[in-house]
Each structure stands twice: as C-alpha cells, then as structure tokens.
Amino acid sequence: MSEVFRMQEWIKELQQMVNTREKLADYVDITPDEDAAITTMRTRWGTTPYFASLMDPQDPACPIRRQVVPSLKEKENKYGIQDYLIHKENRAVGEKRPDCIARQYQDRIAFTVTDVCANYCRHCFRKELVVDQGLSLRFDVDEGLGWIREHPEVRDVLITGGDPFILSDEKLGRIITELRRIPHVQMIRFGTRTPIVLPSRINKELCEILGDFHRVPVWINTQCNHAREITEETARGVYDLMRCGVNVGNQAVLLKGINDDPQSFRELHQKLLTVRIRPYYVFYCEPAPGIDHFRTPVEKGAELIRDAIRGHTTGLCQPMYVIATNIGKVPLMPDYYLKEKTDEEYVLRNYLDQNTSLPVIPE
C-alpha cells in the first residue's frame, strides 16, 4: 500500500462514519431497543467503518457494539452528577482559565483542542460535552497556548478532546511545535483512541510529526477496553509509533458487562502487551450522567487486579486502578500484601493467601 493512499485513508474513513441507522444496518442486525435509541434520542453517535466491522452482527451484548450503539438506558440517571464536567474539572471555582484548559494539579494540565471523535464512546465521561452536546465550551488553541506560556509551573501538557488526532497533520504539527518552543514544557502527552478505532491514522506523516528527536518527548495513551478491539492493524500502528520514539500506554475504563469479569480483564491486559501497548490505568467509570448501566461497584477493579492479574500473569500486565475525581486521581489498588505488623515482624500475604514474614527495622 502506498504512503499516499495511507495518508488519505483515515480521512476517507471519517467521511464514511457509521453514524446513521442505514449505515449501521450494513454491519449489524439492529434490535428494536437499538432502533428506538437511535431514532428517539438526541445524541451524537457513530464510529469508523473499521471499528464497526469488529462488532458482532448478531449479538447486541457484543463488547464493541455496546460502546458504539446508543442505548435507551442512557436516559436513566440515578447516580450520575449533573454538570459533571464542570464539577470534575473545577470549572466553577478557582483560577480563571480558558475553556480549553482543565487543571487539577500544579505542574500539569489538560489542553482540550476539539470535541470531535472517531468513535463516540457511550461511556464517555465528557458525555455532556462530546456526545450529548448539552455543554458548550470554547476551544481556542491560541488562547490555550498563550495561557500555558504564562504559567511557568506547567511542565506537562496532555492534549485531549474529543480526539486530537482527528485534527490535520498541519494543525497537530503546529500545536506540538508551539508547545516545544515554551521553555518550561518538558512533556507532551496525547489521549487518543485512533490506534484502536482508526489505526490508519497512524501513518508516515503523523509519525514524522510526533517522532522528531527533541528535548520535549511525545507520549500517547489510548483507550482499549476489550481484547476484541486489538487487531493486526492496531499492532502495526503501535509498532510504527514506537519506531519513531513514541511509547503507547493504555487507559482502560472498567465497564459492566464488557471487561468486569476475570477472564475478559486478564485477556485484555495480556493481549495489549502482545501489540506493545503497556497497561497504564484502569479507570473506574466516572459518575457522568446517563452511564449508570456501565458502572460497577467501586471495589470491582481492585478485585479484578487481585483475582485476575497480580500473580496470575506477568507483572507488566498490571495497571493502576484509579478513580478520577475533582481532587485528582485516587488510587484504588488491592491491599493484600501487608497482613499485619507486630513489634518484631511484618506478615506479608501473596495472591494465593500464602504468608511470609520480614523483620521490622527500627528507624
């Protein structure tokens, strides 16, 4: 395949987004509930032809299909927080910032550059902004760059959206170039699902933009929630990114009925490593409105790490389980290693409930 064709392929895919009932019917047998949700709900939805082709045409419980197709359950909201994004990103209080800048930490910020995606995840914590579009924010890239220049304490910039890789090579290149010109910026990160839902986006031109040797490296975190999402196309895209010096991590979301059983959870993280994606985070499904049906008990993620990952497979598979809140990320990892402490010894416990001991060392 020529590089010219690859360069254009991702744009063609976006132009052919599967975002109508008629287009979806080319890929799956639409159920009455899915049909009712599509035709009655005012919501942005859709995915790429590539990702749609991975859906099970007969099974509405398909883990990929449930992330793509609207559900009437999104109308239910018992536990979600209204105006969640305003609450979570502390937009109603604190320092005055441009709409494109979200801040929870002193030395790092999230820089939102678009509200457009290649796949509109039904569980998105930015659902009010990106999917349902009830929240309107102004994403002025130049205003954001100016704010970053004026805040020398900011050393780490996460570029997010929407999906920033939907922007053209020219726009992405300009953002990276301008950030690299800011002396106090030491790291640029991207949050993007394109390696999973639109791997043709990872072409030669993009890799050249991302991978220049520079004092300010680029890191990518993607979102893959089920082993079925990982294909040879994704593997090739990640390999190309690594060849140009860009590491790829995964930030999964714990989703009820998709990856909340031990087998699916372990298979996901094992398969990520086979395509060179490092498990990084598993996020508890945040309390955005309209996604109650995806949420598990908070303890579930720690249980899965304890029962399916730690000790049961390579330690490289183990992500950090966290919940993102308005006061930052809170770790929720399993606490099974320190069973008790006496004056003389620590009693340690492993994943098989076997005990051993170490002496207490005085300060």
Side-chain angles (χ1 to χ4, degrees):
M1 183 182 298
S2 71
E3 290 302 332
V4 173
F5 179 78
R6 286 190 68 197
M7 178 179 64
Q8 298 174 342
E9 184 179 353
W10 70 276
I11 299 174
K12 291 179 180 178
E13 282 206 63
L14 289 179
Q15 292 172 341
Q16 298 167 1
M17 284 280 287
V18 180
N19 56 8
T20 68
R21 186 193 183 283
E22 291 71 27
K23 291 180 179 179
L24 182 63
D26 290 337
Y27 295 89
V28 302
D29 296 330
I30 301 173
T31 68
D33 284 348
E34 289 173 329
D35 185 65
I38 291 168
T39 56
T40 65
M41 291 172 58
R42 296 185 60 186
T43 183
R44 183 192 268 180
W45 70 280
T47 192
T48 61
Y50 163 82
F51 204 53
S53 72
L54 302 181
M55 296 188 293
D56 187 322
Q58 307 295 330
D59 183 9
C62 163
I64 297 176
R65 187 164 161 176
R66 288 189 61 216
Q67 294 180 63
V68 171
V69 182
S71 168
L72 292 174
K73 292 180 180 179
E74 294 174 42
K75 294 183 177 182
E76 303 170 9
N77 188 45
K78 182 177 180 180
Y79 301 106
I81 300 172
Q82 295 295 340
D83 298 320
Y84 174 68
L85 201 60
I86 299 295
H87 161 78
K88 188 262 183 82
E89 295 183 347
N90 301 311
R91 292 182 178 271
V93 296
E95 65 179 326
K96 179 67 176 176
R97 301 186 301 270
D99 283 350
C100 58
I101 301 294
R103 186 178 199 181
Q104 292 181 314
Y105 302 97
Q106 178 70 7
D107 71 338
R108 53 204 185 276
I109 54 97
F111 185 11
T112 307
V113 296
T114 181
D115 66 352
V116 178
C117 290
N119 182 80
Y120 293 99
C121 304
R122 307 319 303 170
H123 55 275
C124 180
F125 78 86
R126 293 190 175 100
K127 194 169 187 286
E128 300 157 292
L129 174 70
V130 175
V131 177
D132 294 340
Q133 297 182 290
L135 175 63
S136 179
L137 297 176
R138 180 171 170 267
F139 302 136
D140 187 311
V141 170
D142 289 330
E143 188 178 14
L145 289 169
W147 185 93
I148 295 168
R149 291 187 190 101
E150 295 171 0
H151 287 77
E153 72 278 12
V154 174
R155 55 172 294 276
D156 178 353
V157 177
L158 166 64
I159 303 173
T160 184
D163 195 316
F165 278 15
I166 299 306
L167 298 181
S168 68
D169 291 342
E170 180 182 5
K171 290 181 179 178
L172 280 176
R174 178 176 176 269
I175 291 170
I176 293 172
T177 297
E178 292 301 320
L179 285 173
R180 282 176 162 171
R181 287 174 176 167
I182 301 173
H184 53 268
V185 172
Q186 300 175 15
M187 180 185 301
I188 299 170
R189 293 180 290 145
F190 282 95
T192 174
R193 282 205 86 178
T194 55
I196 303 299
V197 303
L198 186 65
S200 59
R201 180 65 181 103
I202 314 302
N203 56 24
K204 179 181 178 181
E205 289 72 23
L206 179 64
C207 288
E208 288 177 351
I209 291 169
L210 298 174
D212 289 342
F213 182 77
H214 199 276
R215 69 169 183 88
V216 183
V218 170
W219 298 75
I220 287 176
N221 282 312
T222 191
Q223 182 192 148
C224 179
N225 298 316
H226 195 276
R228 288 192 201 176
E229 301 172 40
I230 301 171
T231 66
E232 286 297 317
E233 289 82 357
T234 289
R236 169 56 63 180
V238 173
Y239 180 68
D240 288 346
L241 287 168
M242 295 189 71
R243 288 180 66 190
C244 69
V246 177
N247 288 298
V248 182
N250 190 61
Q251 298 184 157
V253 182
L254 182 60
L255 299 170
K256 187 175 183 179
I258 291 178
N259 56 21
D260 66 331
D261 64 278
Q263 181 176 347
S264 296
F265 194 81
R266 182 167 53 246
E267 286 179 354
L268 165 63
H269 291 93
Q270 288 176 329
K271 195 167 183 181
L272 284 168
L273 288 180
T274 69
V275 296
R276 300 176 173 86
I277 299 177
R278 176 68 163 91
Y280 178 35
Y281 278 138
V282 168
F283 282 98
Y284 179 70
C285 189
E286 298 182 39
I291 57 175
D292 286 354
H293 57 295
F294 284 116
R295 238 174 259 122
T296 66
V298 170
E299 298 87 353
K300 176 60 71 172
E303 292 172 4
L304 289 166
I305 290 174
R306 183 191 65 212
D307 297 340
I309 301 292
R310 183 69 261 171
H312 300 276
T313 189
T314 173
L316 286 171
C317 280
Q318 181 171 299
M320 176 73 73
Y321 178 47
V322 299
I323 182 167
T325 76
N326 63 318
I327 59 171
K329 298 180 184 70
V330 178
L332 299 170
M333 296 297 286
D335 181 14
Y336 61 78
Y337 49 88
L338 184 59
K339 185 175 181 180
E340 62 180 286
K341 176 185 176 182
T342 68
D343 291 339
E344 291 81 25
E345 66 178 8
Y346 299 98
V347 179
L348 308 178
R349 179 177 61 203
N350 74 355
Y351 72 105
L352 295 175
D353 286 333
Q354 298 169 330
N355 294 336
T356 189
S357 63
L358 287 174
V360 171
I361 307 299
E363 295 185 8

